Amino acid sequence: QVQLQESGPGLVKPSQTLSLTCTVSDDSIDINSYYWSWFRQPSGRGLEWIGRFYPGGSTNYNTSLKSRLTISADPSKNQFSLSLSSVTAADTAVYYCAREVPSAYYFDFWGQGTLVTVSS
Amino acid sequence: DIQMTQSPSSLSASVGDRVTITCRASQTINTYLNWYQQKPGRAPKVLIYTASTLQTGVPSRFSGSGSGTDFTLTISSLQPEDFATYYCQQSYFTPYTFGQGTKLEIK
């Protein structure tokens, strides 16, 4: 069974860069079978799709975050990463990574989520 | 961006009840509509994809229907483990967007 695990700092200062990594087990991010996405969810609120990585190196970003966002991957470690610059308190949220099934475009496996707080 | 509107935002129901949640898209999304269940402190779990396909392992009391702009999620007979928040999500265009959620509570 595929497993995803987010990791990274739980506290980031305002104006700095938030960096998270998703490690995937029992699947390869470099095979043209699935896509890999990031989401976030502020406390008590709904879900927001951040962006995704395709095998081969392509990405799609949410237009609301595009100017601050980079999603990349390290196939040798079977990881993909999120980098969000110039953070503010509005970026405080639980961040999730997930696997997307192409053709049907739904998310079948998710990480457990990691809380990132932006505060000085 | 495509806006997704769910109703109701919250719902109180009893074990055994039949429950329907609706989701409306701001433009047509064909059948690219997914439903997720989320419990407190947990990641979302897919229940239905492409509007009406039941994800493997999900109980058959869950069903989905609709196409175009209007969709429904129905739980035929509520079980105690079904009390959670439910989200619809469109995957027709990026950025993918979610409804605001429907919190299903025990009456």
Side-chain angles (χ1 to χ4, degrees):
Chain A
Q1 170 135 319
V2 176
Q3 294 187 349
L4 296 91
Q5 178 69 59
E6 305 88 352
S7 59
L11 181 64
V12 181
K13 288 182 166 49
S15 79
Q16 293 191 342
T17 297
L18 180 163
S19 296
L20 296 174
T21 296
C22 182
T23 301
V24 179
S25 305
D26 295 324
D27 196 1
S28 171
I29 68 169
D30 205 29
I31 294 177
N32 245 343
S33 300
Y34 296 99
Y35 304 158
W36 306 91
S37 275
W38 286 100
F39 296 83
R40 66 182 182 179
Q41 185 173 36
S43 179
R45 298 181 62 184
L47 293 152
E48 180 180 30
W49 179 79
I50 295 172
R52 70 182 172 192
F53 162 80
Y54 296 77
S58 297
T59 54
N60 288 139
Y61 295 159
N62 193 319
T63 47
S64 67
L65 298 169
K66 189 173 184 177
S67 63
R68 301 191 288 133
L69 182 63
T70 302
I71 294 175
S72 60
D74 185 345
S76 68
K77 296 181 180 178
N78 219 32
Q79 296 175 334
F80 63 106
S81 299
L82 163 73
S83 177
L84 185 66
S85 64
S86 304
V87 296
T88 69
D91 296 308
T92 294
V94 174
Y95 285 75
Y96 295 99
C97 55
R99 188 180 83 167
E100 179 181 0
V101 179
S103 75
Y105 305 107
Y106 69 98
F107 299 93
D108 61 347
F109 287 97
W110 295 67
Q112 65 186 23
T114 188
L115 174 63
V116 179
T117 301
V118 178
S119 175
S120 55
Chain B
D1 298 0
I2 298 176
Q3 305 302 314
M4 306 300 294
T5 304
Q6 280 181 241
S7 61
S9 296
S10 63
L11 177 59
S12 293
S14 301
V15 173
D17 284 354
R18 179 183 180 89
V19 166
T20 298
I21 299 169
T22 65
C23 180
R24 174 165 288 177
S26 60
Q27 65 183 78
T28 183
I29 58 172
N30 198 341
T31 57
Y32 289 98
L33 190 283
N34 308 313
W35 289 99
Y36 297 86
Q37 176 193 68
Q38 188 179 32
K39 296 182 178 179
R42 304 290 297 274
K45 169 189 170 184
V46 65
L47 302 173
I48 302 284
Y49 61 92
T50 55
S52 60
T53 306
L54 192 68
Q55 171 69 340
T56 302
V58 173
S60 60
R61 63 181 179 272
F62 292 93
S63 64
S65 65
S67 67
T69 60
D70 294 307
F71 302 86
T72 60
L73 172 70
T74 300
I75 309 172
S76 61
S77 178
L78 274 174
Q79 299 302 301
E81 60 269 28
D82 299 338
F83 293 94
T85 300
Y86 293 83
Y87 294 95
C88 61
Q89 175 245 327
Q90 67 81 19
S91 55
Y92 189 65
F93 277 143
T94 60
Y96 294 155
T97 47
F98 290 81
Q100 79 279 15
T102 295
K103 187 173 184 179
L104 181 52
E105 298 175 307
I106 300 173
K107 184 183 288 185

